[in-house]
């Protein structure tokens, strides 16, 4: 961290973000859901999907692309199948309610297929898998992103996809769950924003510039002229991004992206989520026993050179959470400046937000 950067404790930081979101007109319940979700992403180590999204949300709100205090609109409800429209509402609130409905259905029927469309940015997808895990459910999430395309298809020279995340959560009580939660680009777009704000280059092989040539400069993901992030795993990640677009966008009842971007700040997500109750499937004991045996087997692999210890999907987030809950959330100076400026755009005194965030 630079000297100008901040390290803020989670509780007062959450209170500050809650006050800021409430100033946009959200009910206390919605402001709380948004703030806890965003700070939760920071705690998990995903600053890309944490409080750094606030300036974008405020711009989207002021443009009319983000609507406050919305509830999911039910397009279809046939028991184990739900199709919901998020009505451009805060994804953190709509996502929570949509998942709660899907969890209730999965508990009742053994499974639920949830199609969710037209929801403003739903943040870290692992948050939704964690909600299902807390209810003892396995969940699989395919998500597309409707905003300026930022990822090139494998073999292409410009951006055609969003960072289309894919996520699977598997409960494994009393042990920690297994959770794969990944963008299908080499890095999430917000990670380029974080690097840009910190003035740091990206690793090689993650981006192309506006001419389609390789670059390590994150500016090409943040300010025009734009380049593109590259898909993770070459043609394979590109293929998964395509599937996320078609399942999360089209099958879920929403849209795919297929037009030039008009500069709007709105970012919508579509999500197809499949929830399965292992008890209803009759395989809960087998899932637990086989997961234990397999994880034990995999963890015995000797760490490769330069690796302190082997990690499985979900470990990194737990390690970050433990550290940041104990030591605070690092927030770089540029990100904090932009958040305080966003507070000003909502008519707040930015210093009041700063004071709440630093309260002991
Ligand atoms: N809402 C949206 O539009 C949107 C779009 C893209 C991404 N996202 C979110 O962005 C976040 C960041 O995505 P990302 O791809 O940059 O995540 P990442 O690369 O940090 O992690 C991806 C996965 O790899 C695992 N992992 C990390 N380090 C590991 C290691 N050393 N060994 C083994 N496994 C390891 C993690 O636990 C995680 O499951 C995710 O939460 C994702 O849901 C959201």
């Amino acid at each position: 961290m630079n000297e100008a950067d901040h390290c803020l404790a989670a509780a007062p930081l959450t209170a500050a973000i809650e006050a800021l979101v409430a100033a946009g007109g959200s009910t206390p319940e919605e402001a709380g859901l948004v703030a806890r979700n965003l700070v939760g992403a920071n705690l998990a180590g995903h600053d890309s999907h944490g409080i750094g999204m606030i300036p974008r949300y405020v711009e989207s709100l002021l443009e009319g692309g983000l609507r406050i205090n919305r509830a999911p609109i039910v397009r279809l409800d046939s028991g184990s199948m739900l199709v919901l429209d998020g009505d451009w509402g805060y994804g953190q609130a709509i996502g929570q309610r949509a998942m709660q409905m899907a969890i209730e259905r999965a508990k009742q029927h053994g499974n639920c297929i949830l199609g969710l469309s037209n929801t403003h940015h739903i943040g870290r997808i692992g948050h939704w898998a964690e909600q299902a895990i807390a209810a003892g459910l396995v969940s699989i999430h395919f998500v597309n992103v409707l905003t300026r395309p930022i990822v090139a298809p494998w073999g292409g020279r410009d951006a055609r996809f969003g960072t289309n995340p894919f996520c699977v959560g598997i409960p494994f009580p009393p042990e920690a769950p297994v959770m794969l939660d990944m963008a299908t680009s080499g890095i999430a777009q917000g990670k380029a924003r974080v690097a840009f704000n910190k003035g740091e280059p990206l690793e090689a092989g993650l981006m192309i510039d506006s001419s389609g040539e390789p670059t390590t400069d994150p500016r090409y993901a943040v300010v025009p002229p734009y380049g593109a992030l590259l898909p993770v795993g070459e043609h394979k990640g590109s293929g998964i991004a395509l599937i996320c677009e078609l399942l999360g966008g089209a099958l879920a009842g929403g849209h795919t992206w297929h037009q030039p971007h008009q500069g709007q700040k709105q970012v919508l997500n579509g999500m197809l989520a499949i929830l399965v109750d292992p008890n209803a499937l009759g395989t809960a004991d087998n899932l637990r026993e086989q997961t234990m045996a397999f994880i034990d087997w995999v963890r015995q692999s000797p760490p490769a050179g330069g690796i302190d210890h082997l990690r499985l999907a979900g470990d990194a987030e737990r390690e970050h959470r433990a550290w940041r809950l104990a030591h605070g959330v690092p927030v770089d100076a540029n990100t904090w400046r932009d958040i305080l400026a966003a507070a000003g755009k909502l008519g707040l005194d930015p210093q009041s937000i700063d004071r709440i965030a630093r309260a002991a």
Side-chain angles (χ1 to χ4, degrees), residues 46 49 121 123-125 163 179 181 183 191 269 311 314 317:
H46 293 297
H49 290 71
H121 194 238
R124 184 177 77 91
I125 309 308
T163 50
M179 200 179 70
D181 175 24
K191 290 199 169 148
N269 280 132
R311 289 176 179 82
E317 286 76 7

Side-chain angles (χ1 to χ4, degrees), residues 86-319:
D87 199 21
W88 294 8
Y90 264 114
Q92 287 77 8
I94 297 285
Q96 201 271 348
R97 289 173 193 135
M99 283 299 296
Q100 192 50 45
M101 290 171 78
I103 286 167
E104 282 161 17
R105 303 313 162 87
K107 287 286 190 185
Q108 204 180 345
H109 302 285
N111 62 81
C112 179
I113 297 177
L114 164 68
L116 180 63
S117 62
N118 295 320
T119 297
H120 204 268
H121 194 238
I122 56 176
R124 184 177 77 91
I125 309 308
H127 189 93
W128 313 118
E130 284 164 0
Q131 196 178 336
I133 285 168
L137 302 175
V138 170
S139 67
I140 306 164
H141 307 252
F142 300 90
V143 177
N144 82 329
V145 194
L146 299 169
T147 185
R148 177 174 59 79
I150 180 66
V151 182
W154 179 245
R157 282 176 81 92
D158 71 0
R160 299 283 154 165
F161 296 144
T163 50
N164 294 6
F166 171 69
C167 177
V168 179
I170 303 175
F172 180 36
E175 306 297 323
V178 174
M179 200 179 70
L180 175 70
D181 175 24
M182 52 172 273
T184 48
S185 46
I187 51 167
Q189 181 184 5
K191 290 199 169 148
R193 185 196 71 235
V194 171
F196 177 73
N197 281 346
K198 290 181 174 173
E200 293 172 357
L202 296 173
E203 283 174 30
L206 295 174
M207 276 210 78
I208 51 177
D209 65 17
S210 50
S211 317
E213 297 299 326
T215 181
T216 58
D217 188 342
R219 72 171 300 288
Y220 288 103
V222 185
V223 288
Y226 294 113
L229 297 170
L230 294 173
V232 68
E234 303 180 342
H235 57 287
K236 300 181 192 181
S238 194
I240 299 172
L242 174 75
I243 296 303
C244 285
E245 190 76 25
L246 299 182
L247 298 189
L251 185 63
H255 307 277
T256 59
W257 187 272
H258 43 76
Q259 68 222 19
H261 185 240
Q262 304 299 325
Q264 67 275 23
K265 296 296 179 185
Q266 181 187 60
V267 41
L268 298 180
N269 280 132
M271 175 167 76
L272 185 85
I274 301 167
L275 284 71
V276 180
D277 183 348
N279 285 316
L281 203 57
T283 60
D285 290 344
N286 190 62
L287 174 68
R288 192 167 40 250
E289 287 160 18
Q290 291 299 316
T291 302
M292 188 176 303
F294 182 68
I295 285 184
D296 188 44
W297 158 255
V298 176
R299 286 206 194 276
Q300 287 179 39
S301 180
I307 300 288
D308 55 349
H309 65 277
L310 195 92
R311 289 176 179 82
L312 298 184
D315 289 345
E317 286 76 7
R318 276 189 292 279
E319 288 175 17

